[in-house]
Amino acid sequence: MKTALPPADKAFSDEVIAHTKVWLERAVIGLNLCPFAKAVFIKDQIRYVVSSAKTPEELVADLIRELEFLQEANPEKVDTTLLIHPDVLRNFLDYNDFLDVADAAVEELNLGGEIQVASFHPEYQFADTDIDDISNYTNRAPYPTLHLLREISVERAVDAFPDASEIFSKNMQTLHQLGLDGWQKIMREGQKQA
């Protein structure tokens, strides 16, 4: 599911979405980093929105629009949204700081407990890890991305998955076995498909 953009941005938007779908298929679903992702991907319930924002303020406006859209949308048609913003917050520390703004927007719209924001970035780095630590790749996407999730969908998925609390440790094990070279190979092969 795509959102309409002005014609001048369509080719770029299509490319960004294609790269993001490859990442979802090859890494998130292919490596089972998120066991809940496959169902919404197969059912085409993911909304892909490529923001043309150039400033954090413009991104906040897009985020608010998408939070409102997701709240109103039929969950059978749109369960989750990936707000991809390739031209703003390329620096991870700036992006990380922006997450407080994103959470504040959720609260301002009285959507706390209804929608949450997950974070993905090409330079994602967990606290107390080296930049090239393979564990960071669980949250590395081709572009800075805010993932808007319905809380009820997350709860349903966690209830249906017997070992939800073990997902993080399983992901670490998977990535450590794969290694950086293995990750890069998977992504290179995937990008050839895009």
Side-chain angles (χ1 to χ4, degrees), residues 39-177:
V40 292
F41 184 80
I42 288 171
K43 293 178 188 174
D44 197 27
Q45 294 173 313
I46 302 171
R47 177 174 163 94
Y48 302 90
V49 178
V50 179
S51 169
S52 60
K54 305 283 188 228
T55 67
E57 294 78 18
E58 291 172 343
L59 182 59
V60 169
D62 288 346
L63 173 61
I64 289 170
R65 188 170 34 258
E66 288 306 316
L67 286 167
E68 291 171 339
F69 178 92
L70 187 61
Q71 179 190 28
E72 296 297 322
N74 177 345
E76 294 298 316
K77 295 190 183 291
V78 181
D79 187 68
T80 190
T81 299
L82 293 177
L83 178 56
I84 311 159
H85 45 99
D87 296 323
V88 65
L89 301 176
R90 296 292 301 171
N91 176 284
F92 176 68
L93 295 178
D94 293 339
Y95 172 85
N96 199 45
D97 289 343
F98 184 85
L99 296 176
D100 289 335
V101 175
D103 289 339
V106 170
E107 294 304 320
E108 256 180 56
L109 295 171
N110 295 316
L111 295 175
E114 192 175 331
I115 297 176
Q116 63 178 265
V117 179
S119 54
F120 297 94
H121 193 280
E123 298 172 357
Y124 200 96
Q125 185 175 1
F126 289 107
D128 302 321
T129 64
D130 293 329
I131 189 78
D132 288 330
D133 189 313
I134 192 67
S135 64
N136 295 318
Y137 287 79
T138 61
N139 287 59
R140 288 204 178 164
Y143 306 96
T145 302
L146 298 170
H147 184 187
L148 313 182
L149 298 139
R150 296 176 190 272
E151 294 266 356
I152 195 162
S153 296
V154 172
E155 291 167 11
R156 233 184 351 258
V158 168
D159 289 345
F161 192 76
D163 299 322
S165 62
E166 297 176 16
I167 292 171
F168 182 78
S169 60
K170 286 182 179 181
N171 287 349
M172 293 305 105
Q173 182 180 2
T174 297
L175 289 176
H176 283 285
Q177 288 174 343

